């Protein structure tokens, strides 16, 4: 692929019902089991593609956890290639986190024990083996982890509370082919998969519907709207709720970012043409049916707030994002697993400033992600964050020539990654390590 070729998205024809991943059920001992496997999947009827998945051929089951729950997960690699199990957004120590140092070889099992130490959120699981992350995610390894809330929000899984994993793929005659689609600056495709479904449609009731949007794409940013131009309400960011439901008519998600939104379908009926769109294409047409549940939207939500002390802290760490393709780097360096780039004290809040420096090609947005923590946005180019970024974040889109400040605190000791979440940039070494002491 030519590095600078733009690949536009095609409209969903709506001919297939959007898949909803199954829920992961605990075994008889109360433990969860997740097995990475090689399989096949028919994205298009009659065409068999090789894929990867957790407990199945593509993507994986949704794991629902509760705050303070004590969890045991058996992670097993039944594939012929090494992998890791990374819990993106989960606040855990580095023995659980599943970064590139935590390789699970073919045939091996790793048992994870931890306690959920954070509030309700939509998080995700994906592989993280150095230089192989992009390929493994592209081929199908990704699944969701919910930390559940006890609010009166829509919460009937697959009925009025839907996971929406957005991924774009460039099919090679109906098959996934990473080498065919590969772009060193971020692999993109012309076809959107939602929860693995090509040309999806979704039936919804005349009620409040919650969509848990997850940008699981290797590199694509989405700017999401409703085809009617109507507003929707964002209630959560990557790591938890916003202080209030925030009305929006458009929402941009860079790779790995999440947002929970509520669409009020009570205004619509079976004759309404309405779809979730990107600025380029129609992604998910809705079919409104009469079925309904009762849920309502609280006026305020349990969120985080930025404190005066946090705002008064000086910047103590700076990160300069620069370059493209295999030159993409942070602070002039590329990833070296033997190098610790920064240290920070456990439990101490520091202000990190991340700067995206323009290059000769004009530069691009880099989604900056930090493992093992949820951060608070303090400022973008000196300005306070907009309403829908006032919740915990673990991935922050940094625009060209933008300078972003975040308050970062680690709960556990250990070594954690920070990196660009364009997966090809990450694999090319746009990643560093921080040791929490
Ligand atoms: Cu979602 Cu280090 O990754
Ligand atoms: Cu992560
Ligand atoms: Cu990048």
């Amino acid at each position: 692929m030519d590095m600078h070729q733009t690949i536009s998205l095609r409209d969903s024809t709506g001919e297939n019902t959007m898949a909803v991943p199954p829920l992961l059920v605990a075994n008889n001992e109360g433990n969860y089991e997740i097995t990475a496997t090689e399989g096949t999947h028919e994205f298009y009827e009659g065409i068999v593609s090789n894929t990867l998945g957790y407990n199945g051929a593509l993507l994986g089951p949704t794991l629902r956890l509760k705050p303070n729950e004590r969890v045991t997960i058996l992670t097993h690699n039944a594939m012929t290639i090494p992998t890791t199990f990374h819990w993106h957004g989960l606040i855990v120590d580095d023995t659980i986190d599943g970064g590139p140092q935590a390789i699970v070889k073919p045939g091996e099992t790793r048992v994870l024990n931890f306690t959920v130490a954070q509030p309700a959120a939509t998080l995700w699981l994906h592989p993280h083996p150095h230089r192989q992350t992009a390929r493994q995610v592209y081929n199908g390894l990704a699944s969701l982890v919910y930390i559940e809330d006890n609010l009166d929000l829509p919460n009937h899984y697959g009925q009025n509370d839907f996971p929406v994993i957005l991924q774009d793929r460039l099919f090679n005659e109906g098959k996934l082919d990473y080498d065919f689609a590969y772009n060193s600056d971020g692999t993109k495709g012309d076809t959107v998969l939602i929860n693995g479904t090509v040309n999806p449609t979704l039936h919804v009731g005349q009620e409040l519907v919650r969509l848990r949007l997850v940008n699981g794409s290797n590199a694509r940013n989405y700017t999401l709207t409703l085809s009617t131009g109507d507003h929707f309400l964002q209630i959560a960011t990557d790591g938890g709720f916003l202080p209030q439901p925030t009305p929006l008519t458009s929402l941009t998600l860079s790779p790995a970012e999440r947002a929970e939104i509520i669409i009020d379908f009570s205004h619509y009926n079976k004759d309404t043409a309405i779809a979730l769109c990107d600025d380029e294409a129609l992604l998910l047409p809705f079919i409104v049916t009469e079925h309904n549940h009762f849920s309502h939207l609280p006026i305020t939500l349990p969120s985080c707030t930025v404190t005066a002390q946090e705002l008064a802290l000086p910047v103590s760490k700076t990160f300069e994002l620069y370059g493209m393709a295999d030159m993409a780097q942070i602070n002039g360096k590329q990833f070296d697993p033997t190098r610790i780039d920064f240290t920070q004290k456990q439990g101490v809040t520091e202000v990190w400033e991340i700067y995206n420096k323009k290059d000769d090609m004009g530069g691009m947005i880099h989604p900056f992600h930090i493992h093992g923590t949820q951060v608070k946005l303090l400022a973008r180019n000196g300005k306070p964050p907009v309403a829908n970024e006032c919740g915990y974040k673990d991935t922050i889109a940094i625009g060209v020539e933008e300078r972003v400040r975040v308050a970062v605190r680690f709960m556990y000791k250990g070594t954690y990654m920070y990196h660009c979440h364009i997966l090809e940039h990450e694999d090319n070494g746009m990643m560093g390590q921080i040791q929490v002491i």
Side-chain angles (χ1 to χ4, degrees):
M1 277 282 105
D2 168 12
M3 207 161 79
H4 306 295
Q5 186 180 333
T6 53
I7 299 176
S8 303
L9 288 177
R10 292 189 289 114
D11 288 341
S12 168
T13 61
E15 63 198 73
N16 302 312
T17 300
M18 182 189 86
V20 175
L23 292 171
L24 183 59
V25 181
N27 67 17
N28 293 336
E29 285 85 58
N31 303 329
Y32 295 102
E33 295 177 30
I34 298 181
T35 302
T37 59
E38 287 154 359
T40 58
H41 183 79
E42 285 185 33
F43 293 97
Y44 296 93
E45 222 182 300
I47 305 173
V48 177
S49 177
N50 290 324
T51 53
L52 303 177
Y54 295 118
N55 300 3
L58 188 71
L59 301 176
T62 300
L63 172 57
R64 292 197 297 188
L65 303 174
K66 293 191 176 61
N68 305 314
E69 184 177 343
R70 181 91 201 128
V71 188
T72 301
I73 308 176
L74 282 71
T75 56
H76 179 63
N77 182 4
M79 306 187 296
T80 54
I81 46 174
T83 194
T84 81
F85 297 79
H86 171 55
W87 307 91
H88 181 124
L90 199 65
I91 298 178
V92 284
D93 71 56
D94 67 344
T95 65
I96 307 296
D97 179 65
Q101 74 285 2
I103 287 290
V104 182
K105 293 196 193 110
E108 277 185 357
T109 298
R110 186 185 271 247
V111 181
L112 309 176
N113 284 299
F114 61 91
T115 300
V116 177
Q118 66 198 96
T122 301
L123 313 175
W124 60 305
L125 164 66
H126 67 76
H128 216 301
H130 189 43
R131 298 199 174 279
Q132 296 299 321
T133 298
R135 178 184 297 271
Q136 291 189 9
V137 172
Y138 191 86
N139 285 331
L141 284 178
S143 66
L144 299 181
V145 181
Y146 291 179
I147 299 174
E148 295 197 273
D149 62 78
N150 52 15
L151 304 175
D152 195 12
L153 291 164
N155 60 8
H156 294 267
Y157 185 79
Q159 294 178 56
N160 63 3
D161 179 3
F162 296 95
V164 176
I165 306 171
L166 297 162
Q167 300 178 304
D168 59 326
R169 296 293 182 263
L170 191 69
F171 283 96
N172 186 3
E173 292 173 353
K175 297 181 185 180
L176 288 184
D177 182 342
Y178 183 65
D179 296 311
F180 169 81
Y182 180 75
N183 181 328
S184 60
D185 228 7
T187 298
K188 291 182 182 169
D190 61 357
T191 305
V192 168
L193 301 180
I194 300 189
N195 301 341
T197 306
V198 178
N199 290 320
T201 193
L202 177 62
H203 287 75
V204 293
Q206 283 180 301
E207 57 183 318
L208 297 180
V209 171
R210 178 185 196 171
L211 301 182
R212 299 179 188 238
L213 305 166
V214 179
N215 184 351
S217 305
N218 283 37
R220 183 177 288 280
N221 302 311
Y222 298 87
T223 295
L224 302 167
T225 56
L226 291 174
S227 56
T228 53
D230 292 343
H231 76 258
F232 49 87
L233 295 158
Q234 185 175 348
I235 58 168
T237 47
D238 304 333
F241 290 116
L242 292 168
Q244 295 92 35
T246 302
L248 297 171
T249 52
S250 102
L251 165 64
T252 299
L253 290 180
S254 68
E257 283 189 291
R258 285 91 63 209
E260 295 182 28
I261 64 168
I262 301 275
I263 304 173
D264 186 355
F265 285 97
S266 65
H267 307 314
Y268 310 124
N269 61 46
K270 62 178 180 13
D271 300 318
T272 313
I274 178 169
L276 183 70
C277 295
D278 172 71
D279 46 3
E280 294 180 353
L282 189 150
L283 306 182
L284 181 66
F286 297 107
I287 296 171
V288 184
T289 62
E290 264 160 42
H291 177 70
N292 70 89
H293 294 90
F294 296 96
S295 45
H296 75 277
L297 260 188
I299 295 164
T300 61
L301 295 161
S303 186
C304 62
T305 43
V306 172
T307 65
Q309 289 96 311
E310 286 164 339
L311 281 173
L313 285 172
V315 170
S316 47
K317 291 185 168 63
T318 59
F319 300 79
E320 186 184 89
L321 314 179
Y322 181 73
M324 303 175 71
D326 49 5
M327 295 304 292
Q329 50 193 245
I330 301 176
N331 291 341
K333 287 177 276 189
Q334 291 195 308
F335 181 63
D336 176 350
T338 64
R339 186 188 67 228
I340 297 295
D341 299 275
F342 288 100
T343 58
Q344 184 160 327
K345 287 212 178 92
Q346 176 186 25
V348 173
T349 302
E350 290 196 26
V351 175
W352 294 18
E353 184 175 85
I354 307 125
Y355 168 53
N356 180 350
K357 187 179 167 190
K358 189 173 176 173
D359 61 30
D360 303 339
M361 302 301 301
M364 60 195 288
I365 293 171
H366 297 286
F368 187 81
H369 168 52
I370 313 169
H371 283 213
T373 185
Q374 290 288 342
V375 307
K376 298 180 200 171
L377 202 66
L378 302 176
R380 282 189 183 272
N381 282 337
K383 295 199 195 75
V386 293
N388 74 323
E389 287 196 311
C390 294
Y392 281 119
K393 297 279 294 166
D394 58 54
T395 308
I396 296 162
I398 318 277
V400 178
E401 284 297 301
E402 198 169 31
R403 237 174 249 281
V404 174
R405 287 189 184 182
V406 290
V408 184
R409 181 178 161 272
F410 291 94
M411 189 179 290
Y412 299 109
K413 290 181 182 164
T415 302
Y416 296 100
M417 305 295 133
Y418 56 84
H419 58 88
C420 175
H421 219 288
I422 293 176
L423 296 181
E424 286 74 16
H425 282 181
E426 170 189 334
D427 278 349
N428 288 340
M430 197 173 195
M431 177 157 73
Q433 304 190 88
I434 179 159
Q435 190 172 8
V436 180
I437 52 175

